[in-house]
Amino acid sequence: MADEQDRDTLQHSTPADAAPPPADASFTPAEPLKNAGVDFTPEDTGATGNGSGTGSTLADAKQSARDYVAKGREQAADKARGFAEDGKAKATDALTQLSQMLTDAAGQVDEKLGGQYGQYARSAADRVQGFSSAIDQKSVEDLLDDARELVRKSPEVAVGLAAGVGFVLARLIGAAVDQRDA
């Protein structure tokens, strides 16, 4: 019903509607908006109180933005430090547990393979415990500085360590997913 009404009110175009304008028709462009009598300069509202107007308002806005950015950076750095401290604590706990497991296993290695191999297990446990203690005693910033220094001195060792850690993490995650699926 609405379609019929639209068709009834629709005015059909004629060939004259589509014809180009006569050759003698002249075209005059409109005046540019910048000359249309509109003043785009903001008025001094006196909100700043120092009479300098827009310049100080803009400077205040820029300073406010800088303050917000600085505050955000500070909050992000604090959160990152907190996460790093938590990670450091978890890593030292894990290393201490690994050291204890190696120490416990040394007795069984003594019985099954001999005292020499048990001593290897004890030595490994002592080294892991020493590494755990060293990490626990240093601050996060000191650990980051040590890591940067290692990368500067021997980047190939750093890449190798990163690859090894990635491999171990991939294996651990894969094992965890397999256990969850089982």
Side-chain angles (χ1 to χ4, degrees), residues 5-130:
Q5 289 175 349
D6 290 342
R7 268 188 267 147
D8 292 342
T9 59
L10 182 67
Q11 296 178 355
H12 297 286
S13 63
T14 62
D17 293 336
D24 63 343
S26 63
F27 175 75
T28 307
E31 282 290 315
L33 289 178
K34 67 179 184 180
N35 298 332
V38 178
D39 184 17
F40 289 106
T41 57
E43 296 179 12
D44 186 11
T45 59
T48 58
N50 58 8
S52 62
T54 304
S56 72
T57 303
L58 184 59
D60 291 345
K62 285 181 179 179
Q63 185 59 43
S64 177
R66 282 188 202 111
D67 292 344
Y68 283 125
V69 168
K71 186 177 179 182
R73 281 186 187 156
E74 187 177 313
Q75 288 175 349
D78 289 345
K79 269 198 186 241
R81 247 183 241 106
F83 287 139
E85 289 291 337
D86 289 345
K88 184 182 100 165
K90 288 179 183 179
T92 56
D93 287 345
L95 288 171
T96 300
Q97 289 176 2
L98 176 63
S99 172
Q100 187 60 43
M101 285 175 27
L102 289 172
T103 302
D104 294 345
Q108 294 175 354
V109 171
D110 280 339
E111 292 173 9
K112 295 186 180 189
L113 299 175
Q116 181 183 6
Y117 294 107
Q119 187 56 36
Y120 290 145
R122 283 186 199 79
S123 176
D126 289 343
R127 287 186 182 206
V128 170
Q129 184 59 42

Side-chain angles (χ1 to χ4, degrees), residues 157-171:
V157 172
V159 170
L161 283 172
V165 168
F167 177 75
V168 169
L169 286 175
R171 294 292 301 244

